[in-house]
Amino acid sequence: MSKATVCPNCGGSDIDNDQSRGNAVCVSCGSVIEDNFIVSEVNFQENSLGGTSVIGQFVSSEGKTGSSLGGNFRTGVGKESRMITLQRGKDRITHIGNQLNLNNHCLAIAYNFFKMAVQKKLTRGRKTDHIVAACLYLACRVECTPRIL
């Protein structure tokens, strides 16, 4: 993680590095200096039965998640269903995004939001079209693209 010493927006030097949220914020103006820190350390947690589990998850360069730390860690449960959900979401994002004349960068950002929602299990019990619309709206807001959904 690179330490930001000066805010590029206001020039302030009081930067709050929050490891738990993974961001660095200027205390003076509130600008997010750095977002989504990547932590390269592995932590373990002991449960009540004396077993251990990994805190966090492995992310490969291809974007696949899982654990490569041994056979005692359960990964890949429900992987096929998740892949189907991601593919359907990507198809819907592409279809609706093309109707709104959004560029590929906005579609990629919306798909990343969709993947986060699936990973955090925020899609269960909700219609895919509603999740897709929310992800496209977020992508438009992040990219300052004026669209009404």
Side-chain angles (χ1 to χ4, degrees):
M1 166 185 81
S2 64
K3 298 242 182 205
T5 57
V6 177
C7 175
N9 294 328
C10 71
S13 61
D14 192 9
I15 307 297
D16 179 29
N17 290 314
D18 189 353
Q19 294 292 331
S20 63
R21 289 189 176 158
N23 60 16
V25 178
C26 176
V27 175
S28 302
C29 68
S31 296
V32 177
I33 308 299
E34 196 170 349
D35 196 15
N36 297 327
F37 291 157
I38 297 175
V39 180
S40 61
E41 58 192 44
V42 177
N43 292 319
F44 295 93
Q45 174 181 348
E46 187 172 338
N47 62 22
S48 62
L49 300 174
T52 57
S53 60
V54 176
I55 299 173
Q57 70 185 64
F58 172 76
V59 178
S60 71
S61 61
E62 293 87 31
K64 298 177 182 173
T65 59
S67 174
S68 62
L69 299 173
N72 294 334
F73 301 103
R74 302 184 88 192
T75 60
V77 176
K79 201 174 229 180
E80 291 175 6
S81 175
R82 182 171 293 139
M83 295 307 282
I84 291 169
T85 302
L86 289 174
Q87 187 58 47
R88 285 182 184 162
K90 186 173 188 174
D91 292 344
R92 292 298 298 154
I93 287 171
T94 303
H95 178 71
I96 295 171
N98 287 337
Q99 288 179 341
L100 294 170
N101 294 323
L102 294 176
N103 60 24
N104 288 334
H105 182 67
C106 281
L107 297 179
I109 291 173
Y111 180 60
N112 286 336
F113 281 127
F114 186 81
K115 286 192 298 188
M116 267 193 288
V118 170
Q119 181 184 12
K120 302 279 184 187
K121 299 179 180 154
L122 300 175
T123 58
R124 290 187 179 176
R126 293 177 175 85
K127 293 185 178 183
T128 303
D129 284 342
H130 295 172
I131 303 291
V132 165
C135 293
L136 284 166
Y137 178 76
L138 282 169
C140 289
R141 290 297 301 250
V142 167
E143 289 298 306
C144 299
T145 305
R147 294 289 189 277
I148 298 175
L149 297 178

